Amino acid sequence: MTIKAVPGTRDILPEEIPAWRRIEEAAHRLFARYGYRELRTPVFEETELFARGIGGETDIVAKEMYTFEDRDGSSLTLRPEATAGIVRSVIENHLFQSDPALKVYALGPMFRRERPQKGRYRQFHQVDVEAFGLQSPQVDAEVVELAVGFLEACGIAEYEVVLNSVGDPACRPPYVETLRQALRANLTRLGPDSQRRTETNPLRVLDSKVPEEQELIAALPRILEHLCPACREHFEEVRRQLDLLGIRYRVDHRLVRGLDYYMRTTFEVTSGALGAQNSLLGGGRYDGLVKELGGPDLGGIGFAAGMERIVLAMPAREAERRCDVFLMPLAAAAFDEALRLQRGLRQAGARVLLDPEGRSFKSRMKLADKLGARYVAIRGEEEMKKGVWRVRDRAGSTQDDVAEGRVAQHLEEKLHG
Ligand code: AMP
């Protein structure tokens, strides 16, 4: 029996790596322009961090965490998302003391025991952006701007930004109560999950995809009509700035985060190219979280983007060229020279390969084509006699005889010139 990858995990094969690198490079390049610095936290943490930082009522904590007992009996969990670990690190390392407007980002694998399907995995990767200590609506608008700029830098042109405000500790609790009353009055029209959530977390009923519940949900009281003046003003200013910057979005009152510390702005970016799992990234403001995890009363806002989904939504690109120069020392006496030439060209930055197995001319040529070689340099008995390398340009189908002492320079000029 051969051993296979665990269901819900996948290998990122060499052919896919250029797309992943493009995402990573876009993140490093773009986030720096907005003042973000990279932070790397461990992939496992104490289970308690996620229980407190994400909330026991969420699907993530209730049924999706990879939790295990360590040898000393402590309970550890593979991180299902990045924010909790980042907040722990910010508090533990007092990062906000040296940097009151703290902006950090992180990239890496996350683990959730979800039902695997296209675009949904048990080990997946996120790009995560978090800004702390900044309350202004300018930061909310900037984080949305950064999110769409990032997708565009990855080559994604088709997407939709969905925006909402979920209020704050002044206006949300009364709204939640109003919502609960409206749901209680219609309990018989709800399925078992929504019935339970009516008591535990009525906001999550708004997430429901159950077809029979949609009509009722459309008629429920809406958070945007229950915002307090401060939240209303904040939301209007976020929208005004997005309009000013030319960033298009759709307001959807059903986009909520069911956790207590989420407040005001929430947003999501979806792609029509993705099918059922259409969310590219999601984010929002979480001003209560740092305090909840034992830190100072510091606001926070950020987003998490799924890298697998970005790869799926990215335009296909031509395969990467693996070889600039393919060396063919056909004459046995040319082999040592080829080794030296190979080393010199590689030191000069070229991608150089040769076939050390010494196969036939035809099979070497096939290999050169397969590798996408731009130039093939051949030295057989005839070239030995003439003191040259025969350099073939695969694209132009031309060839030159180049004196042996000049071949390295000749190839470098061709490649860089
Ligand atoms: P969340 O942390 O649940 O708000 O998700 C943020 C983003 O991570 C989503 O928009 C997806 O792009 C991605 N994501 C979440 N869960 C998965 C998963 N199981 N597999 C792949 N991507 C995921």
Side-chain angles (χ1 to χ4, degrees):
M1 277 271 281
T2 53
I3 297 173
K4 298 224 170 88
V6 175
T9 70
R10 54 189 296 283
D11 302 306
I12 302 170
L13 298 173
E15 285 77 19
E16 301 172 76
I17 292 294
W20 285 78
R21 291 240 182 109
R22 180 167 183 196
I23 299 174
E24 289 159 8
E25 280 158 19
H28 296 310
R29 193 172 46 189
L30 190 67
F31 298 166
R33 291 188 206 161
Y34 287 75
Y36 286 82
R37 291 187 301 161
E38 189 181 357
L39 172 68
R40 302 186 187 190
T41 66
V43 293
F44 58 87
E45 300 266 2
E46 282 188 29
T47 303
E48 172 73 10
L49 174 70
F50 302 115
R52 267 165 62 192
I54 305 173
E57 240 305 295
T58 57
D59 287 348
I60 294 181
V61 174
K63 49 188 192 210
E64 293 171 0
M65 294 206 304
Y66 282 97
T67 296
F68 58 97
E69 193 183 300
D70 201 358
R71 286 165 196 270
D72 65 1
S74 54
S75 178
L76 303 178
T77 293
L78 297 182
R79 63 181 182 195
E81 53 96 61
T83 308
I86 290 176
V87 171
R88 184 216 26 85
S89 174
V90 165
I91 298 169
E92 187 172 342
N93 297 296
H94 307 289
L95 296 184
F96 47 85
Q97 277 179 0
S98 55
D99 198 352
L102 179 66
K103 291 171 156 182
V104 290
Y105 71 96
L107 291 92
M110 307 294 154
F111 307 86
R112 293 183 199 170
R113 202 174 194 294
E114 295 191 88
R115 193 170 50 78
Q117 64 181 90
K118 186 169 182 222
R120 189 163 72 192
Y121 308 99
R122 290 180 171 175
Q123 173 173 335
F124 59 100
H125 299 75
Q126 284 184 340
V127 172
D128 201 81
V129 166
E130 315 282 353
F132 297 96
L134 301 158
Q135 310 286 350
S136 161
Q138 189 265 323
V139 182
D140 304 44
E142 185 185 89
V143 168
V144 175
E145 178 198 333
L146 181 58
V148 301
F150 171 56
L151 294 177
E152 284 177 5
C154 295
I156 297 176
E158 305 274 327
Y159 54 80
E160 182 181 43
V161 179
V162 186
L163 188 72
N164 192 26
S165 170
V166 293
D168 70 2
C171 56
R172 189 166 38 180
Y175 165 72
V176 170
E177 213 31 58
T178 306
L179 184 64
R180 184 177 279 132
Q181 297 302 340
L183 289 168
R184 278 185 185 151
N186 291 282
L187 223 47
T188 51
R189 294 169 66 191
L190 296 172
D193 281 346
S194 293
Q195 286 193 5
R196 185 170 41 82
R197 287 172 181 153
T198 295
E199 297 312 316
T200 56
N201 196 345
L203 284 176
R204 289 217 43 219
V205 176
L206 302 177
D207 280 337
S208 160
K209 307 249 172 356
V210 178
E212 298 75 39
E213 297 177 349
Q214 300 307 311
E215 197 185 325
L216 169 66
I217 291 172
L220 289 170
R222 301 180 170 199
I223 179 92
L224 292 175
E225 283 146 24
H226 291 78
L227 294 179
C228 61
C231 286
R232 188 183 306 277
E233 208 177 289
H234 186 98
F235 191 52
E236 275 167 12
E237 183 57 18
V238 174
R239 295 187 58 178
R240 192 191 69 79
Q241 292 190 19
L242 289 175
D243 293 339
L244 179 86
L245 300 170
I247 294 165
R248 285 208 301 258
Y249 56 87
R250 174 170 67 81
V251 174
D252 183 350
H253 69 98
R254 288 178 61 172
L255 181 67
V256 291
R257 299 256 168 179
L259 310 182
D260 284 349
Y261 50 77
Y262 270 101
M263 58 177 274
R264 294 191 170 162
T265 310
T266 56
F267 63 96
E268 186 176 35
V269 182
T270 58
S271 161
L274 285 182
Q277 301 300 319
N278 70 348
S279 171
L280 286 169
L281 61 87
R285 184 170 271 289
Y286 49 83
D287 286 356
L289 180 60
V290 182
K291 194 156 176 237
E292 170 68 30
L293 291 177
D297 193 0
L298 213 59
I301 180 167
F303 69 81
M307 295 173 77
E308 281 79 0
R309 300 213 188 147
I310 292 178
V311 171
L312 284 170
M314 272 165 73
R317 286 206 304 173
E318 263 181 50
E320 198 182 55
R321 181 188 297 284
R322 289 175 56 196
C323 180
D324 297 315
V325 180
F326 189 83
L327 298 177
M328 272 199 219
L330 296 178
F335 186 74
D336 290 1
E337 213 184 314
L339 286 183
R340 274 201 302 271
L341 183 56
Q342 174 166 257
R343 181 160 198 252
L345 288 169
R346 283 175 175 167
Q347 283 173 332
R351 300 175 179 206
V352 190
L353 295 166
L354 55 71
D355 175 8
E357 306 298 325
R359 279 174 275 230
S360 73
F361 178 77
K362 213 169 133 200
S363 67
R364 291 195 217 201
M365 216 50 187
K366 245 197 204 143
L367 179 57
D369 282 341
K370 203 162 176 193
L371 295 168
R374 278 173 74 188
Y375 298 97
V376 175
I378 302 162
R379 193 152 153 89
E381 298 301 342
E382 196 188 323
E383 286 80 14
M384 289 287 288
K385 261 188 237 141
K386 288 208 241 164
V388 298
W389 281 84
R390 175 157 295 180
V391 177
R392 284 197 187 173
D393 179 340
R394 301 297 290 156
S397 309
T398 55
Q399 57 183 22
D400 295 309
D401 279 349
V402 183
E404 54 196 16
R406 277 206 68 247
V407 67
Q409 197 193 341
H410 175 85
L411 284 164
E412 277 171 42
E413 279 167 12
K414 285 264 186 197
L415 289 170
H416 299 122

